[in-house]
Amino acid sequence: MTQTQLKSKPADFLANYDTDGFAIQPEVFSAQERKDLIAAGCNLKDYKEGIFKPAMMPHRENPLFLGALKNPAIVDTMERILGGKVSGLQTEFFYCKPGTRGFSNHQDNFFVQAPMGAFGSAWVALTDTYKEKGGLIVYPGTQKEGLLPIQKLALSKDAGQDPNANNEETVVPPQYKPVNASVPAGASLYIHGHLVHGSNANATDEWRYVLLMTYVRKGEPFRAGKYAGRAEVDVYS
């Protein structure tokens, strides 16, 4: 799937998204934009104090992240995916330093509790990501199952990983098989709210920088969450 196909063949792009639960749009952010976002991430308070867990809601601290949430290409794609005008809901900046454990299998809407089809995520790679470098693991088609059961985990804390990755994981029906999704720097991988996905550990000696941004169709209910503190953001102003 290419950006040209999204522009010239939106029906094909949406068909792929509907079938698989994800789609990749390349070249959403330029090299300079990626460089600036990484620099902004490395200027956040936790990072400067040597805390490398994902930074929650950086758009509330730095206008560069708010600008990213309002990226016209991403907002346009989200409107197509979610079927109407959208609000920004959450940003999260992932450092994924070398050796960071992967995120356990999960469905984003388990946390958000929005109606089916009303919520989605844009997972933007600020550096190249692939299996060995903390790349995503997706389970195509699982978005059609709705919310799946979860099982509790007893993992030790990982200082570089989101706390939610330690608590539980989605139980994936056996007919669905994992696929490693490589996402080049600057591309956005759009994730259906009910798609089961996780990530690999970062086994390289490089940091894997990613900006996650989530959106909800305007007027739809959602769960704010004690940890995330989600709130609607106007992405059109």
Side-chain angles (χ1 to χ4, degrees):
M1 179 59 63
T2 66
Q3 190 173 19
T4 300
Q5 285 175 305
L6 173 61
K7 291 179 178 178
S8 63
K9 299 180 180 180
D12 290 350
F13 183 92
L14 293 175
N16 285 354
Y17 178 85
D18 289 341
T19 298
D20 295 333
F22 70 97
I24 298 173
Q25 181 182 10
E27 300 177 356
V28 176
F29 286 94
S30 69
Q32 186 59 54
E33 288 172 326
R34 299 194 306 271
K35 181 179 179 181
D36 291 344
L37 286 166
I38 291 171
C42 294
N43 197 44
L44 294 172
K45 180 176 181 290
D46 277 0
Y47 180 91
K48 291 193 290 187
E49 293 181 359
I51 301 171
F52 305 124
K53 71 177 182 180
M56 188 65 73
M57 302 299 187
H59 69 277
R60 296 174 182 170
E61 299 184 47
N62 189 308
L64 276 179
F65 294 111
L66 180 59
L69 189 65
K70 297 180 178 183
N71 179 284
I74 290 180
V75 171
D76 176 71
T77 302
M78 278 294 172
E79 289 178 348
R80 297 171 187 258
I81 287 171
L82 301 182
K85 293 294 185 181
V86 300
S87 294
L89 205 56
Q90 178 176 333
T91 57
E92 192 169 3
F93 188 90
F94 290 83
Y95 299 99
C96 199
K97 66 178 181 178
T100 299
R101 186 177 64 230
F103 205 118
S104 58
N105 289 332
H106 64 285
Q107 296 170 293
D108 289 342
N109 203 39
F110 169 79
F111 305 104
V112 180
Q113 299 290 314
M116 178 65 127
F119 167 77
S121 304
W123 193 92
V124 179
L126 301 178
T127 55
D128 289 334
T129 66
Y130 43 89
K131 180 180 179 181
E132 294 78 13
K133 195 176 178 181
L136 281 186
I137 306 165
V138 296
Y139 290 80
T142 49
Q143 79 282 357
K144 299 175 183 179
E145 297 286 341
L147 286 180
L148 290 162
I150 63 167
Q151 60 186 11
K152 292 295 182 179
L153 296 175
L155 297 176
S156 59
K157 290 185 178 180
D158 185 323
Q161 186 52 275
D162 187 308
N164 283 320
N166 304 314
N167 299 333
E168 61 264 316
E169 67 177 357
T170 300
V171 179
V172 184
Q175 66 267 34
Y176 296 105
K177 305 305 178 185
V179 173
N180 286 297
S182 295
V183 184
S188 174
L189 188 148
Y190 297 94
I191 304 171
H192 190 287
H194 289 83
L195 178 76
V196 178
H197 61 287
S199 63
N200 292 285
N202 184 2
T204 73
D205 59 0
E206 300 176 343
W207 294 62
R208 186 221 69 180
Y209 297 107
V210 164
L211 178 61
L212 175 70
M213 301 182 289
T214 70
Y215 300 80
V216 67
R217 191 165 60 231
K218 274 185 172 293
E220 300 286 0
F222 62 90
R223 177 175 173 267
K226 293 181 180 179
Y227 171 53
R230 301 174 191 88
E232 290 188 74
V233 177
D234 181 2
V235 293
Y236 300 102
S237 62

